[in-house]
Structures are given as structure tokens and as C-alpha cells.
Amino acid sequence: ILARAAARRDTEKRRYMVMRELSTLLPYIRRHRATYLLGLVLVLVSNAFTTAGPRFLERGIDQISRGAPLSAIVWSAVVLVGVAIVGGVARFGMRQTLNSGSRRIETEMRDDLFAHLLRHSAGFFDRHPTGDVMARATNDLTAVRMVAGPALMYLVDTAVRAALIIPQMAHISLPLSLLALLPLLGLTAVMVVLGGVVHERSRAIQEHFGTMSTYVQEHLSGVRVVRAYRQERAEERHFGGLNDEYLRRNLAMAKVQGAFHALMPLLGGLGGVIVLYAGGRLVISGAISAGAFVAFSVYLAMLVWPM
């Protein structure tokens, strides 16, 4: 019970820290609210047209099955291509708008951080290693930019896409939808578990990168002292140890990422196997058409990667 209570407190503390860190980013996003609003509108437009594509694919396949006139089949194909083009252009605009907005935020944050550092007293730089400060002003801000751009964009994109696709899948076949989406619940659980591990290991890598930057800065600044006392080999060995530790931490991160990227297609593939078997039986029994089966499969594929 005490262990569970401690784990719960640690989780709440981490959540509070994350929210506090994100709150410092909000004023920068507000400055570019027009850019972000346009980007989010393009997210809606892109997904609205992209998720409409399988419906026209379904119509075209069913028209072929029924022996419909060639003109009707051609019209379905033309509409399918048109929907794909509009969705692709909107998606390009979405990425261009939100990613460029995050780049501007990164530039503003970098300027503000540098000005903030210049206002600190000399004692601040005695207490904080120069390399750590340099890492925050360079490498860490790139990670913040990823939150303000791609992370936000894909979060909204996934939510909108799921909201549009799941009702379409349920309209084709509710039982098949429940079966196909079952593995995606496992994917969500994997993301929650591995996401926490990735966060901690990423933080450890960033901290060690600051240590390495400090070491390099100090020894390049004092290289005459190192040369005067003939400590080149000793310092090389010391830096080699720091570099090996940096490698070890990155390899530990790579193992987690490798497991994540292996489980992702596995769970998505399980959904495809379920659709192939259960959906195939529904087509054979006449419960759904061949076109609906193909559209359902495309919807599932469109949903797996964003999830």
C-alpha cells in the first residue's frame, strides 16, 4: 500500500512538473495564435477530405461488382483523386504552418533565454556549469520546439482523425470495429508505459549532454594549463569515459524506442489479421459488400499509424 501511494505521489509530481513546464510555453503560442489557428483549421480540412477517400473507393468497387456503367466508375475514380489532392494540399499546409510557427517560437525563446542569461549575476555562472547553460540554450530548446510543433500537430491530428474514422468504421460494421480496435487499446497501454521510460531516459541524456558540454568548454578554455602539465592523455581518458556514458544512455534509449517501434506494427498487424478473417466472413455471408470491406481496411490502416 505504501509503495502504491509513493508511486501515485511520484506520478502526480511528474504530471505537475510537466504542466508547469508547458505553462511557460503558452505565452509564446498565444503570440502566434493566428498561425496556430490556421494550422488547426487545416488539420480539420485535411482529415475531412482524407477520411472521405475510402468511401469513394468503396463506391467504385461496389459499382464494378454490380457491373455499373463505365462513366459512373470513372466519376468515382475522379472524385477519389480530387479528394486525395485536396487532402494532400491541406496536409502540406498544415505541416508548413505549424512547423514554421514552432520554428519562430524556438527563435523567440532562444533570444529571450540569452537575454535572461545576460542579466544574471556572475555568481549564477559560478553555481551553474557553463556547458549545462549552453546545452539548455541549444539542444534543449530544440526539444521544446518539437513540443510546440510536431507534438501538438500530431496530437490534434490523431484526435481529429480518430473522431472521423471510428464512426465510419462503426457504420460499416460495429462488431467488426470493436474487434479491430481491440489491439489499439494495447497500443495505448504500450505508449503509456514506454512513454514514461522514454521521458526519464531522455532527461538523463540531456543532463549528461550538459556535463559533456561543460567538460569540453572548460578544457578548451584552459588548454594551456592541460598542455603545461602534460595531462593530455589523462583528460582524453576522462572524456572517453564521459563519451562512453553518453553512448550507454543513448543505447538504453534506443532499446526502448526499438521495442516501441516493434510493438507498434505488431499490434496494428493484429488488427489487420482480425479484419481479414472476421471481415472476410462478413463479405462471404453477404453482411457487408466487398467495397465496404476494402474501405474498412483502409480506415484501419489510416488509424493505426497516428495512434
Side-chain angles (χ1 to χ4, degrees), residues 130-146:
T130 303
D132 187 46
V133 175
M134 289 172 58
R136 290 178 182 275
T138 54
N139 203 44
D140 290 5
L141 276 180
T142 301
V144 175
R145 192 265 307 170
M146 293 293 287

Side-chain angles (χ1 to χ4, degrees), residues 64-143:
I64 294 172
S65 301
R66 294 194 304 266
L70 181 61
S71 59
I73 298 172
V74 170
W75 175 247
S76 295
V78 169
V79 174
L80 178 61
V81 172
V83 165
I85 291 173
V86 174
V89 170
R91 194 159 193 83
F92 172 79
M94 170 194 82
R95 295 177 59 86
Q96 184 75 10
T97 302
L98 293 177
N99 285 334
S100 63
S102 67
R103 290 289 184 182
R104 292 188 180 93
I105 287 176
E106 180 188 10
T107 302
E108 293 173 2
M109 292 188 75
R110 206 181 297 280
D111 289 339
D112 290 347
L113 178 59
F114 186 72
H116 180 69
L117 292 173
L118 291 180
R119 290 193 293 270
H120 273 298
S121 64
F124 172 85
F125 296 97
D126 291 335
R127 295 190 303 273
H128 296 84
T130 303
D132 187 46
V133 175
M134 289 172 58
R136 290 178 182 275
T138 54
N139 203 44
D140 290 5
L141 276 180
T142 301

Side-chain angles (χ1 to χ4, degrees), residues 12-289:
E12 291 173 356
K13 182 179 179 181
R14 273 201 305 269
R15 188 179 296 120
Y16 170 75
M17 291 293 292
V18 169
M19 293 306 297
R20 191 180 69 177
E21 290 165 359
L22 289 177
S23 66
T24 61
L25 185 60
L26 292 178
Y28 293 92
I29 293 178
R30 290 194 193 101
R31 293 179 196 171
H32 300 276
R33 60 171 66 91
T35 298
Y36 276 85
L37 182 60
L38 174 60
L40 296 178
V41 169
L42 289 172
V43 170
L44 294 173
V45 173
S46 169
N47 281 290
F49 279 88
T50 302
T51 56
R55 273 301 180 186
F56 293 102
L57 180 63
E58 174 188 354
R59 181 185 300 176
I61 292 174
D62 288 342
Q63 285 171 338
I64 294 172
S65 301
R66 294 194 304 266
L70 181 61
S71 59
I73 298 172
V74 170
W75 175 247
S76 295
V78 169
V79 174
L80 178 61
V81 172
V83 165
I85 291 173
V86 174
V89 170
R91 194 159 193 83
F92 172 79
M94 170 194 82
R95 295 177 59 86
Q96 184 75 10
T97 302
L98 293 177
N99 285 334
S100 63
S102 67
R103 290 289 184 182
R104 292 188 180 93
I105 287 176
E106 180 188 10
T107 302
E108 293 173 2
M109 292 188 75
R110 206 181 297 280
D111 289 339
D112 290 347
L113 178 59
F114 186 72
H116 180 69
L117 292 173
L118 291 180
R119 290 193 293 270
H120 273 298
S121 64
F124 172 85
F125 296 97
D126 291 335
R127 295 190 303 273
H128 296 84
T130 303
D132 187 46
V133 175
M134 289 172 58
R136 290 178 182 275
T138 54
N139 203 44
D140 290 5
L141 276 180
T142 301
V144 175
R145 192 265 307 170
M146 293 293 287
V147 175
L152 178 62
M153 177 177 67
Y154 286 123
L155 176 65
V156 177
D157 182 59
T158 302
V160 171
R161 181 168 293 199
L164 292 174
I165 286 179
I166 292 176
Q168 295 281 3
M169 294 170 66
H171 177 73
I172 293 172
S173 173
L174 181 59
L176 184 60
S177 300
L178 295 175
L179 287 173
L181 293 175
L182 208 56
L184 294 187
L185 298 178
L187 180 60
T188 304
V190 167
M191 287 177 60
V192 170
V193 173
L194 294 185
V197 178
V198 167
H199 179 76
E200 294 301 325
R201 294 190 180 183
S202 177
R203 184 183 293 275
I205 290 171
Q206 297 290 85
E207 289 175 353
H208 193 71
F209 182 80
T211 302
M212 287 181 63
S213 300
T214 298
Y215 188 87
V216 171
Q217 186 271 332
E218 289 176 348
H219 285 75
L220 289 179
S221 299
V223 68
R224 295 188 180 186
V225 177
V226 175
R227 297 294 298 276
Y229 287 92
R230 301 183 61 82
Q231 292 297 304
E232 296 94 332
R233 293 295 176 86
E235 300 302 340
E236 285 176 10
R237 287 193 296 271
H238 190 200
F239 181 76
L242 291 175
N243 208 16
D244 289 341
E245 176 63 16
Y246 188 66
L247 172 64
R248 186 192 67 78
R249 296 189 183 195
N250 275 280
L251 288 178
M253 169 73 90
K255 289 177 181 177
V256 179
Q257 291 176 330
F260 178 76
H261 288 290
L263 287 169
M264 195 162 54
L266 174 63
L267 293 170
L270 286 176
V273 170
I274 292 172
V275 170
L276 188 61
Y277 176 75
R281 291 176 65 89
L282 290 175
V283 173
I284 293 171
S285 67
I288 63 173
S289 67

